[in-house]
Amino acid sequence: MKEVKSPKKPLIYYYGIVLIVIVLFNLFVTPIIQKHQVTEVDYGKFMAMIEDKSIEAVEVEDSQIIFTDKDTKKIYKTGTMNDPGLTERLYKSGAKFEKNIEQTMSPMTNFLVTGLLPLVIFIALGQYFSRKIQKQMGGKNAMAFGMGKSNAKIYVPSTEGIHFSDVAGEDEAKESLAEIVDYLHDPKKYSEVGASMPKGVLLVGPPGTGKTMLAKAVAGEANVPFFSMSGSEFVEMFVGMGASKVRDLFSQAKEKAPCIVFIDEIDAIGKKRDGQIGGNDEREQTLNQLLTEMDGFEGNNGVIILAATNRPESLDPALTRPGRFDRRVPVELPDLKGREEILKVHAKKIKIAEDVDFHTIARMAAGASGAELANIVNEAALRAVRNNRKFVTEADLEESIEVVIAGYQKKNAVLSTKEKLVVAYHEIGHALVAAKQTNSAPVQKITIIPRTSGALGYTMQVEQGDKYLMTKEEIENKIATFTGGRAAEEIIFGQITTGASNDIEQATKLARAMITRYGMSEDFDMVAMETVNNQYLGGDASLACSADTQKEIDRMVVELVKKEHEKAKDILTENRKKLDELAQFLYEKETITGDEFMTILNKVEENSYNLL
Ligand code: ADP
Ligand code: ZN
């Protein structure tokens, strides 16, 4: 889709105009001014001009003589001298004797030239520029300098427009948006039956899942103009501007109907109005204006508003009630198949080796959003260039997953020997606990190369297809796995480090969710103790129970994590030799793959290493 803005004249253009004005002024106006300025000359020149008979008029006063040139019409003045024959000589030279030469000649012209002319030029220029600016803003009722104008970007359909085929996966979302495309193609079909399209459709999902892309694709498929604006752009410094921007956006859209209006981050204006004193007046005014506009136009005028948000629960109910944004299209993080398709779509834009297995890459990139996947492909291409290759290999893609998720390898950050050993044991601790519980390869790869993100090691988990349900046992095993890193440190070094802070957070979160949300504790049965607020942004939860229960929950969470921690320690103690062997391998090679891990684990024991 091509973005078309009214062509902006470069600044140099305006400088050019100013320059031309100055030149013209010098050429035409300055001579006039100069001509009517009184130039002071010496008496000799005066006498010479008398001789030449080139004086037109002359006025002899007590202290000065004023005279004009016949040819140039310039006014001169000079002092008086004791010059007895002057009057006669002047008379002979043909000069006219006049009174008030200066006043008759100059004041009027002076006033015209120095006062009125610049004023006229100024007004003319002002008019010219303001008309130019208005034209550029594209509105008839533009306020001076476009204050309060919506600077919505207008896209017009073009051959390179985005289509549904460019958006990989997200089949459900595409399906529900296809109806809108159909409506925009043939609104009559709908109005004949009396059906009216929803005015607003809310695209809901985590960041980077392709909401903007989908909105553009609807416009692209329907071949209609696309207005796009971000919610935060409405809320500006000046109170009232947001509302006038909304008004303007809609008046533009109505002119161009049928069309799509896309409002990104609608939560920036559509947050619940809480009626707090000192609340954000500007935001509320903007929201009210948006509601008014949406109510104001009839269902079938061809303007469809798509809005995107990743916090639907924070939206004002007024915005989501029927007749406004009453349709909700979930745009979720891609599943395994979706990830594979997205990778393929983006891989088309780069040169890539033929034997790349996108399925494996997609499996490694569990949890990545569309935007992250696009980024992964691009990182891989950059890596290929860095290594002077003409195409991207699977190794490039694998490395770039780590780069996008964990950051670049820190080339010069060297872990001390002891630290590296601790990290090796920590990571193997996690993996070994996981492997012993499930009897399968727990990881794709572990590396202990420090990353720019601050992570000292990185474990790439395997994901065998998508899982939607987890049993109680699986969650417990997961908690044990989280505690495995710390457990290894305790067993081997008898001391603990800060390296486990993220593990602790994750383990606690899972344990708490088991008790408060999944009904997996004996005491509380199937009672929800927590409600999830923010499912697309991390999933904060708020407690919905009494203080006593809260205490009880806290106690149970601690108990649960403790139990799993003990279990992890037991597993590692029982497999101490394997732990040493695997950690030694990782310590030396800095990388261990899932296959290498399983080979060592399943090898029949003969001799063992002892590192300490
Ligand atoms: P959102 O609006 O949901 O935050 P965007 O639509 O801006 O996300 O997506 C950002 C980028 O991520 C897109 O430009 C595109 O390159 C990539 N992307 C996201 N989802 C997909 C998808 N389903 N198919 C292909 N590319 C995608
Ligand atoms: Zn850890």
PDB file of all heavy atoms in Angstrom, residues 162 166-170 205-214 262 264 308 310 331 334 338 341-343 345-346 349 369-375, ligand 1:
ATOM      1  N   ILE A 162      -1.314  -4.187   0.724  1.00  0.00           N
ATOM      2  CA  ILE A 162      -1.273  -5.404   1.534  1.00  0.00           C
ATOM      3  C   ILE A 162      -2.581  -6.172   1.371  1.00  0.00           C
ATOM      4  O   ILE A 162      -3.664  -5.589   1.371  1.00  0.00           O
ATOM      5  CB  ILE A 162      -1.038  -5.042   3.014  1.00  0.00           C
ATOM      6  CG1 ILE A 162       0.357  -4.469   3.175  1.00  0.00           C
ATOM      7  CG2 ILE A 162      -1.232  -6.257   3.898  1.00  0.00           C
ATOM      8  CD1 ILE A 162       0.737  -4.151   4.585  1.00  0.00           C
ATOM      9  N   ASP A 166      -0.831 -11.686   2.525  1.00  0.00           N
ATOM     10  CA  ASP A 166       0.422 -11.256   3.153  1.00  0.00           C
ATOM     11  C   ASP A 166       0.427 -11.526   4.643  1.00  0.00           C
ATOM     12  O   ASP A 166       1.472 -11.535   5.278  1.00  0.00           O
ATOM     13  CB  ASP A 166       0.639  -9.755   2.935  1.00  0.00           C
ATOM     14  CG  ASP A 166       0.784  -9.420   1.471  1.00  0.00           C
ATOM     15  OD1 ASP A 166       1.558 -10.124   0.802  1.00  0.00           O
ATOM     16  OD2 ASP A 166       0.124  -8.484   1.007  1.00  0.00           O
ATOM     17  N   VAL A 167      -0.769 -11.676   5.204  1.00  0.00           N
ATOM     18  CA  VAL A 167      -0.868 -11.948   6.633  1.00  0.00           C
ATOM     19  C   VAL A 167      -0.943 -13.458   6.809  1.00  0.00           C
ATOM     20  O   VAL A 167      -1.926 -14.084   6.427  1.00  0.00           O
ATOM     21  CB  VAL A 167      -2.119 -11.285   7.239  1.00  0.00           C
ATOM     22  CG1 VAL A 167      -2.111 -11.431   8.744  1.00  0.00           C
ATOM     23  CG2 VAL A 167      -2.206  -9.830   6.834  1.00  0.00           C
ATOM     24  N   ALA A 168       0.108 -14.020   7.362  1.00  0.00           N
ATOM     25  CA  ALA A 168       0.131 -15.472   7.520  1.00  0.00           C
ATOM     26  C   ALA A 168      -0.594 -15.875   8.791  1.00  0.00           C
ATOM     27  O   ALA A 168      -0.632 -15.116   9.748  1.00  0.00           O
ATOM     28  CB  ALA A 168       1.576 -15.958   7.569  1.00  0.00           C
ATOM     29  N   GLY A 169      -1.145 -17.083   8.772  1.00  0.00           N
ATOM     30  CA  GLY A 169      -1.891 -17.555   9.941  1.00  0.00           C
ATOM     31  C   GLY A 169      -3.115 -16.681  10.178  1.00  0.00           C
ATOM     32  O   GLY A 169      -3.660 -16.099   9.243  1.00  0.00           O
ATOM     33  N   GLU A 170      -3.516 -16.545  11.414  1.00  0.00           N
ATOM     34  CA  GLU A 170      -4.644 -15.678  11.795  1.00  0.00           C
ATOM     35  C   GLU A 170      -5.885 -15.928  10.945  1.00  0.00           C
ATOM     36  O   GLU A 170      -6.583 -14.999  10.533  1.00  0.00           O
ATOM     37  CB  GLU A 170      -4.243 -14.189  11.686  1.00  0.00           C
ATOM     38  CG  GLU A 170      -2.996 -13.795  12.431  1.00  0.00           C
ATOM     39  CD  GLU A 170      -3.094 -13.994  13.934  1.00  0.00           C
ATOM     40  OE1 GLU A 170      -4.209 -14.294  14.433  1.00  0.00           O
ATOM     41  OE2 GLU A 170      -2.064 -13.903  14.607  1.00  0.00           O
ATOM     42  N   GLY A 205      -5.435  -8.149  20.722  1.00  0.00           N
ATOM     43  CA  GLY A 205      -4.370  -9.142  20.812  1.00  0.00           C
ATOM     44  C   GLY A 205      -3.062  -8.529  21.256  1.00  0.00           C
ATOM     45  O   GLY A 205      -2.928  -7.312  21.302  1.00  0.00           O
ATOM     46  N   PRO A 206      -2.093  -9.385  21.570  1.00  0.00           N
ATOM     47  CA  PRO A 206      -0.798  -8.894  22.042  1.00  0.00           C
ATOM     48  C   PRO A 206      -0.075  -8.070  20.974  1.00  0.00           C
ATOM     49  O   PRO A 206      -0.424  -8.176  19.789  1.00  0.00           O
ATOM     50  CB  PRO A 206      -0.014 -10.175  22.334  1.00  0.00           C
ATOM     51  CG  PRO A 206      -0.938 -11.303  22.157  1.00  0.00           C
ATOM     52  CD  PRO A 206      -2.131 -10.840  21.444  1.00  0.00           C
ATOM     53  N   PRO A 207       0.905  -7.280  21.363  1.00  0.00           N
ATOM     54  CA  PRO A 207       1.633  -6.456  20.402  1.00  0.00           C
ATOM     55  C   PRO A 207       2.332  -7.302  19.345  1.00  0.00           C
ATOM     56  O   PRO A 207       2.780  -8.410  19.648  1.00  0.00           O
ATOM     57  CB  PRO A 207       2.674  -5.748  21.256  1.00  0.00           C
ATOM     58  CG  PRO A 207       2.221  -5.879  22.661  1.00  0.00           C
ATOM     59  CD  PRO A 207       1.376  -7.102  22.742  1.00  0.00           C
ATOM     60  N   GLY A 208       2.385  -6.781  18.144  1.00  0.00           N
ATOM     61  CA  GLY A 208       3.176  -7.434  17.093  1.00  0.00           C
ATOM     62  C   GLY A 208       2.544  -8.648  16.459  1.00  0.00           C
ATOM     63  O   GLY A 208       3.212  -9.431  15.810  1.00  0.00           O
ATOM     64  N   THR A 209       1.233  -8.824  16.642  1.00  0.00           N
ATOM     65  CA  THR A 209       0.603 -10.011  16.056  1.00  0.00           C
ATOM     66  C   THR A 209      -0.027  -9.722  14.704  1.00  0.00           C
ATOM     67  O   THR A 209      -0.659 -10.598  14.118  1.00  0.00           O
ATOM     68  CB  THR A 209      -0.477 -10.576  16.995  1.00  0.00           C
ATOM     69  OG1 THR A 209      -1.245  -9.495  17.504  1.00  0.00           O
ATOM     70  CG2 THR A 209       0.145 -11.332  18.133  1.00  0.00           C
ATOM     71  N   GLY A 210       0.108  -8.511  14.220  1.00  0.00           N
ATOM     72  CA  GLY A 210      -0.371  -8.227  12.866  1.00  0.00           C
ATOM     73  C   GLY A 210      -1.711  -7.524  12.807  1.00  0.00           C
ATOM     74  O   GLY A 210      -2.400  -7.601  11.792  1.00  0.00           O
ATOM     75  N   LYS A 211      -2.087  -6.817  13.861  1.00  0.00           N
ATOM     76  CA  LYS A 211      -3.379  -6.112  13.857  1.00  0.00           C
ATOM     77  C   LYS A 211      -3.384  -4.993  12.817  1.00  0.00           C
ATOM     78  O   LYS A 211      -4.333  -4.847  12.043  1.00  0.00           O
ATOM     79  CB  LYS A 211      -3.685  -5.552  15.256  1.00  0.00           C
ATOM     80  CG  LYS A 211      -3.810  -6.644  16.296  1.00  0.00           C
ATOM     81  CD  LYS A 211      -4.187  -6.103  17.649  1.00  0.00           C
ATOM     82  CE  LYS A 211      -3.074  -5.319  18.315  1.00  0.00           C
ATOM     83  NZ  LYS A 211      -1.888  -6.133  18.654  1.00  0.00           N
ATOM     84  N   THR A 212      -2.312  -4.217  12.806  1.00  0.00           N
ATOM     85  CA  THR A 212      -2.221  -3.134  11.826  1.00  0.00           C
ATOM     86  C   THR A 212      -2.232  -3.703  10.416  1.00  0.00           C
ATOM     87  O   THR A 212      -2.912  -3.193   9.521  1.00  0.00           O
ATOM     88  CB  THR A 212      -0.925  -2.333  12.050  1.00  0.00           C
ATOM     89  OG1 THR A 212      -0.805  -2.045  13.433  1.00  0.00           O
ATOM     90  CG2 THR A 212      -0.923  -1.068  11.248  1.00  0.00           C
ATOM     91  N   MET A 213      -1.474  -4.785  10.263  1.00  0.00           N
ATOM     92  CA  MET A 213      -1.414  -5.439   8.952  1.00  0.00           C
ATOM     93  C   MET A 213      -2.797  -5.889   8.492  1.00  0.00           C
ATOM     94  O   MET A 213      -3.161  -5.699   7.334  1.00  0.00           O
ATOM     95  CB  MET A 213      -0.552  -6.688   9.084  1.00  0.00           C
ATOM     96  CG  MET A 213       0.820  -6.554   8.532  1.00  0.00           C
ATOM     97  SD  MET A 213       1.568  -8.175   8.583  1.00  0.00           S
ATOM     98  CE  MET A 213       2.005  -8.343   6.876  1.00  0.00           C
ATOM     99  N   LEU A 214      -3.557  -6.495   9.405  1.00  0.00           N
ATOM    100  CA  LEU A 214      -4.886  -6.976   9.056  1.00  0.00           C
ATOM    101  C   LEU A 214      -5.783  -5.819   8.616  1.00  0.00           C
ATOM    102  O   LEU A 214      -6.513  -5.923   7.634  1.00  0.00           O
ATOM    103  CB  LEU A 214      -5.521  -7.703  10.241  1.00  0.00           C
ATOM    104  CG  LEU A 214      -5.118  -9.166  10.406  1.00  0.00           C
ATOM    105  CD1 LEU A 214      -5.526  -9.680  11.769  1.00  0.00           C
ATOM    106  CD2 LEU A 214      -5.742 -10.023   9.315  1.00  0.00           C
ATOM    107  N   PHE A 262      -8.540   3.456  10.658  1.00  0.00           N
ATOM    108  CA  PHE A 262      -7.876   2.579  11.627  1.00  0.00           C
ATOM    109  C   PHE A 262      -7.330   3.398  12.786  1.00  0.00           C
ATOM    110  O   PHE A 262      -6.563   4.337  12.588  1.00  0.00           O
ATOM    111  CB  PHE A 262      -6.743   1.807  10.943  1.00  0.00           C
ATOM    112  CG  PHE A 262      -5.981   0.917  11.874  1.00  0.00           C
ATOM    113  CD1 PHE A 262      -6.597  -0.142  12.511  1.00  0.00           C
ATOM    114  CD2 PHE A 262      -4.632   1.141  12.119  1.00  0.00           C
ATOM    115  CE1 PHE A 262      -5.899  -0.967  13.381  1.00  0.00           C
ATOM    116  CE2 PHE A 262      -3.920   0.324  12.977  1.00  0.00           C
ATOM    117  CZ  PHE A 262      -4.553  -0.734  13.614  1.00  0.00           C
ATOM    118  N   ASP A 264      -5.098   2.967  15.967  1.00  0.00           N
ATOM    119  CA  ASP A 264      -4.214   2.080  16.711  1.00  0.00           C
ATOM    120  C   ASP A 264      -4.219   2.519  18.181  1.00  0.00           C
ATOM    121  O   ASP A 264      -4.492   3.675  18.471  1.00  0.00           O
ATOM    122  CB  ASP A 264      -2.794   2.171  16.120  1.00  0.00           C
ATOM    123  CG  ASP A 264      -1.994   0.912  16.382  1.00  0.00           C
ATOM    124  OD1 ASP A 264      -2.529   0.020  17.054  1.00  0.00           O
ATOM    125  OD2 ASP A 264      -0.849   0.823  15.906  1.00  0.00           O
ATOM    126  N   ALA A 308      -7.384  -1.068  17.196  1.00  0.00           N
ATOM    127  CA  ALA A 308      -6.561  -2.125  17.772  1.00  0.00           C
ATOM    128  C   ALA A 308      -6.233  -1.802  19.213  1.00  0.00           C
ATOM    129  O   ALA A 308      -6.051  -0.639  19.577  1.00  0.00           O
ATOM    130  CB  ALA A 308      -5.268  -2.272  16.964  1.00  0.00           C
ATOM    131  N   ASN A 310      -4.317  -3.816  22.946  1.00  0.00           N
ATOM    132  CA  ASN A 310      -3.907  -5.030  23.620  1.00  0.00           C
ATOM    133  C   ASN A 310      -4.372  -5.048  25.054  1.00  0.00           C
ATOM    134  O   ASN A 310      -3.938  -5.861  25.841  1.00  0.00           O
ATOM    135  CB  ASN A 310      -2.397  -5.267  23.511  1.00  0.00           C
ATOM    136  CG  ASN A 310      -1.627  -3.987  23.575  1.00  0.00           C
ATOM    137  OD1 ASN A 310      -1.991  -3.092  24.331  1.00  0.00           O
ATOM    138  ND2 ASN A 310      -0.577  -3.877  22.797  1.00  0.00           N
ATOM    139  N   VAL A 331      -6.861 -11.415  17.811  1.00  0.00           N
ATOM    140  CA  VAL A 331      -5.671 -11.672  16.989  1.00  0.00           C
ATOM    141  C   VAL A 331      -4.614 -12.205  17.940  1.00  0.00           C
ATOM    142  O   VAL A 331      -3.960 -11.454  18.634  1.00  0.00           O
ATOM    143  CB  VAL A 331      -5.182 -10.377  16.305  1.00  0.00           C
ATOM    144  CG1 VAL A 331      -4.051 -10.673  15.336  1.00  0.00           C
ATOM    145  CG2 VAL A 331      -6.318  -9.690  15.590  1.00  0.00           C
ATOM    146  N   PRO A 334       0.743 -16.400  17.211  1.00  0.00           N
ATOM    147  CA  PRO A 334       0.633 -17.514  16.265  1.00  0.00           C
ATOM    148  C   PRO A 334       0.988 -18.853  16.911  1.00  0.00           C
ATOM    149  O   PRO A 334       1.869 -18.916  17.766  1.00  0.00           O
ATOM    150  CB  PRO A 334       1.648 -17.147  15.187  1.00  0.00           C
ATOM    151  CG  PRO A 334       2.591 -16.211  15.824  1.00  0.00           C
ATOM    152  CD  PRO A 334       1.828 -15.471  16.861  1.00  0.00           C
ATOM    153  N   GLY A 338       1.091 -21.428  12.474  1.00  0.00           N
ATOM    154  CA  GLY A 338       1.085 -20.000  12.143  1.00  0.00           C
ATOM    155  C   GLY A 338       2.499 -19.455  12.076  1.00  0.00           C
ATOM    156  O   GLY A 338       2.851 -18.714  11.161  1.00  0.00           O
ATOM    157  N   GLU A 341       4.176 -20.485   8.921  1.00  0.00           N
ATOM    158  CA  GLU A 341       3.705 -19.720   7.757  1.00  0.00           C
ATOM    159  C   GLU A 341       4.272 -18.304   7.749  1.00  0.00           C
ATOM    160  O   GLU A 341       4.673 -17.786   6.713  1.00  0.00           O
ATOM    161  CB  GLU A 341       2.170 -19.662   7.763  1.00  0.00           C
ATOM    162  CG  GLU A 341       1.548 -20.943   7.241  1.00  0.00           C
ATOM    163  CD  GLU A 341       0.050 -20.978   7.474  1.00  0.00           C
ATOM    164  OE1 GLU A 341      -0.550 -19.896   7.641  1.00  0.00           O
ATOM    165  OE2 GLU A 341      -0.517 -22.080   7.509  1.00  0.00           O
ATOM    166  N   ILE A 342       4.294 -17.682   8.920  1.00  0.00           N
ATOM    167  CA  ILE A 342       4.830 -16.316   8.993  1.00  0.00           C
ATOM    168  C   ILE A 342       6.296 -16.306   8.579  1.00  0.00           C
ATOM    169  O   ILE A 342       6.745 -15.460   7.807  1.00  0.00           O
ATOM    170  CB  ILE A 342       4.661 -15.735  10.407  1.00  0.00           C
ATOM    171  CG1 ILE A 342       3.174 -15.558  10.720  1.00  0.00           C
ATOM    172  CG2 ILE A 342       5.373 -14.388  10.532  1.00  0.00           C
ATOM    173  CD1 ILE A 342       2.887 -15.140  12.140  1.00  0.00           C
ATOM    174  N   LEU A 343       7.049 -17.297   9.079  1.00  0.00           N
ATOM    175  CA  LEU A 343       8.466 -17.387   8.703  1.00  0.00           C
ATOM    176  C   LEU A 343       8.595 -17.519   7.193  1.00  0.00           C
ATOM    177  O   LEU A 343       9.446 -16.877   6.562  1.00  0.00           O
ATOM    178  CB  LEU A 343       9.117 -18.594   9.383  1.00  0.00           C
ATOM    179  CG  LEU A 343       9.475 -18.423  10.856  1.00  0.00           C
ATOM    180  CD1 LEU A 343       9.882 -19.746  11.462  1.00  0.00           C
ATOM    181  CD2 LEU A 343      10.610 -17.416  11.022  1.00  0.00           C
ATOM    182  N   VAL A 345       6.441 -16.542   4.858  1.00  0.00           N
ATOM    183  CA  VAL A 345       6.073 -15.285   4.196  1.00  0.00           C
ATOM    184  C   VAL A 345       7.254 -14.325   4.187  1.00  0.00           C
ATOM    185  O   VAL A 345       7.590 -13.717   3.173  1.00  0.00           O
ATOM    186  CB  VAL A 345       4.866 -14.628   4.908  1.00  0.00           C
ATOM    187  CG1 VAL A 345       4.741 -13.168   4.522  1.00  0.00           C
ATOM    188  CG2 VAL A 345       3.590 -15.369   4.554  1.00  0.00           C
ATOM    189  N   HIS A 346       7.917 -14.221   5.340  1.00  0.00           N
ATOM    190  CA  HIS A 346       9.019 -13.258   5.411  1.00  0.00           C
ATOM    191  C   HIS A 346      10.275 -13.772   4.727  1.00  0.00           C
ATOM    192  O   HIS A 346      11.093 -12.986   4.255  1.00  0.00           O
ATOM    193  CB  HIS A 346       9.292 -12.879   6.864  1.00  0.00           C
ATOM    194  CG  HIS A 346       8.226 -11.997   7.430  1.00  0.00           C
ATOM    195  ND1 HIS A 346       8.167 -10.651   7.167  1.00  0.00           N
ATOM    196  CD2 HIS A 346       7.135 -12.278   8.175  1.00  0.00           C
ATOM    197  CE1 HIS A 346       7.107 -10.145   7.754  1.00  0.00           C
ATOM    198  NE2 HIS A 346       6.449 -11.103   8.379  1.00  0.00           N
ATOM    199  N   LYS A 349      11.121 -12.745   1.166  1.00  0.00           N
ATOM    200  CA  LYS A 349      11.762 -11.474   0.853  1.00  0.00           C
ATOM    201  C   LYS A 349      13.284 -11.576   0.864  1.00  0.00           C
ATOM    202  O   LYS A 349      13.965 -10.633   0.511  1.00  0.00           O
ATOM    203  CB  LYS A 349      11.328 -10.420   1.871  1.00  0.00           C
ATOM    204  CG  LYS A 349       9.834 -10.169   1.861  1.00  0.00           C
ATOM    205  CD  LYS A 349       9.442  -9.247   3.003  1.00  0.00           C
ATOM    206  CE  LYS A 349       7.966  -9.360   3.321  1.00  0.00           C
ATOM    207  NZ  LYS A 349       7.672  -8.918   4.686  1.00  0.00           N
ATOM    208  N   SER A 369       6.031 -13.542  18.572  1.00  0.00           N
ATOM    209  CA  SER A 369       4.943 -12.904  17.834  1.00  0.00           C
ATOM    210  C   SER A 369       5.346 -12.748  16.378  1.00  0.00           C
ATOM    211  O   SER A 369       6.502 -12.964  16.017  1.00  0.00           O
ATOM    212  CB  SER A 369       4.647 -11.531  18.425  1.00  0.00           C
ATOM    213  OG  SER A 369       5.721 -10.667  18.152  1.00  0.00           O
ATOM    214  N   GLY A 370       4.383 -12.370  15.545  1.00  0.00           N
ATOM    215  CA  GLY A 370       4.665 -12.168  14.129  1.00  0.00           C
ATOM    216  C   GLY A 370       5.784 -11.170  13.915  1.00  0.00           C
ATOM    217  O   GLY A 370       6.666 -11.372  13.079  1.00  0.00           O
ATOM    218  N   ALA A 371       5.743 -10.088  14.688  1.00  0.00           N
ATOM    219  CA  ALA A 371       6.766  -9.059  14.535  1.00  0.00           C
ATOM    220  C   ALA A 371       8.136  -9.614  14.904  1.00  0.00           C
ATOM    221  O   ALA A 371       9.135  -9.327  14.241  1.00  0.00           O
ATOM    222  CB  ALA A 371       6.431  -7.855  15.396  1.00  0.00           C
ATOM    223  N   GLU A 372       8.188 -10.443  15.956  1.00  0.00           N
ATOM    224  CA  GLU A 372       9.462 -11.026  16.352  1.00  0.00           C
ATOM    225  C   GLU A 372       9.970 -11.991  15.290  1.00  0.00           C
ATOM    226  O   GLU A 372      11.167 -12.030  14.999  1.00  0.00           O
ATOM    227  CB  GLU A 372       9.319 -11.745  17.699  1.00  0.00           C
ATOM    228  CG  GLU A 372       9.408 -10.793  18.872  1.00  0.00           C
ATOM    229  CD  GLU A 372       8.957 -11.423  20.184  1.00  0.00           C
ATOM    230  OE1 GLU A 372       8.118 -12.337  20.144  1.00  0.00           O
ATOM    231  OE2 GLU A 372       9.441 -10.998  21.229  1.00  0.00           O
ATOM    232  N   LEU A 373       9.052 -12.742  14.692  1.00  0.00           N
ATOM    233  CA  LEU A 373       9.453 -13.680  13.640  1.00  0.00           C
ATOM    234  C   LEU A 373      10.012 -12.928  12.435  1.00  0.00           C
ATOM    235  O   LEU A 373      11.023 -13.323  11.852  1.00  0.00           O
ATOM    236  CB  LEU A 373       8.269 -14.554  13.232  1.00  0.00           C
ATOM    237  CG  LEU A 373       7.834 -15.563  14.306  1.00  0.00           C
ATOM    238  CD1 LEU A 373       6.493 -16.171  13.964  1.00  0.00           C
ATOM    239  CD2 LEU A 373       8.883 -16.654  14.462  1.00  0.00           C
ATOM    240  N   ALA A 374       9.336 -11.831  12.078  1.00  0.00           N
ATOM    241  CA  ALA A 374       9.841 -11.012  10.972  1.00  0.00           C
ATOM    242  C   ALA A 374      11.248 -10.530  11.294  1.00  0.00           C
ATOM    243  O   ALA A 374      12.135 -10.515  10.448  1.00  0.00           O
ATOM    244  CB  ALA A 374       8.905  -9.829  10.734  1.00  0.00           C
ATOM    245  N   ASN A 375      11.434 -10.163  12.550  1.00  0.00           N
ATOM    246  CA  ASN A 375      12.723  -9.684  13.007  1.00  0.00           C
ATOM    247  C   ASN A 375      13.785 -10.794  12.952  1.00  0.00           C
ATOM    248  O   ASN A 375      14.929 -10.566  12.576  1.00  0.00           O
ATOM    249  CB  ASN A 375      12.552  -9.178  14.445  1.00  0.00           C
ATOM    250  CG  ASN A 375      13.668  -8.265  14.864  1.00  0.00           C
ATOM    251  OD1 ASN A 375      14.569  -8.005  14.077  1.00  0.00           O
ATOM    252  ND2 ASN A 375      13.620  -7.791  16.086  1.00  0.00           N
TER     253      ASN A 375
HETATM  254  P1  ADP B   1       0.346  -4.970  15.750  1.00  0.00           P
HETATM  255  O1  ADP B   1      -0.396  -3.890  15.072  1.00  0.00           O
HETATM  256  O2  ADP B   1      -0.503  -6.132  16.141  1.00  0.00           O
HETATM  257  O3  ADP B   1       1.207  -4.528  16.886  1.00  0.00           O
HETATM  258  P2  ADP B   1       1.703  -5.094  13.233  1.00  0.00           P
HETATM  259  O4  ADP B   1       0.567  -5.334  12.338  1.00  0.00           O
HETATM  260  O5  ADP B   1       2.208  -3.704  13.293  1.00  0.00           O
HETATM  261  O6  ADP B   1       1.377  -5.596  14.701  1.00  0.00           O
HETATM  262  O7  ADP B   1       2.864  -6.087  12.848  1.00  0.00           O
HETATM  263  C1  ADP B   1       4.205  -5.722  12.898  1.00  0.00           C
HETATM  264  C2  ADP B   1       4.999  -6.506  11.882  1.00  0.00           C
HETATM  265  O8  ADP B   1       5.051  -7.880  12.233  1.00  0.00           O
HETATM  266  C3  ADP B   1       4.388  -6.483  10.514  1.00  0.00           C
HETATM  267  O9  ADP B   1       4.864  -5.396   9.780  1.00  0.00           O
HETATM  268  C4  ADP B   1       4.830  -7.803   9.906  1.00  0.00           C
HETATM  269  O10 ADP B   1       6.089  -7.681   9.304  1.00  0.00           O
HETATM  270  C5  ADP B   1       4.970  -8.709  11.102  1.00  0.00           C
HETATM  271  N1  ADP B   1       3.802  -9.589  11.273  1.00  0.00           N
HETATM  272  C6  ADP B   1       3.010  -9.651  12.363  1.00  0.00           C
HETATM  273  N2  ADP B   1       2.039 -10.578  12.214  1.00  0.00           N
HETATM  274  C7  ADP B   1       2.223 -11.131  10.997  1.00  0.00           C
HETATM  275  C8  ADP B   1       1.539 -12.148  10.259  1.00  0.00           C
HETATM  276  N3  ADP B   1       0.478 -12.780  10.757  1.00  0.00           N
HETATM  277  N4  ADP B   1       2.002 -12.456   9.032  1.00  0.00           N
HETATM  278  C9  ADP B   1       3.081 -11.828   8.524  1.00  0.00           C
HETATM  279  N5  ADP B   1       3.752 -10.864   9.162  1.00  0.00           N
HETATM  280  C10 ADP B   1       3.353 -10.503  10.389  1.00  0.00           C
END
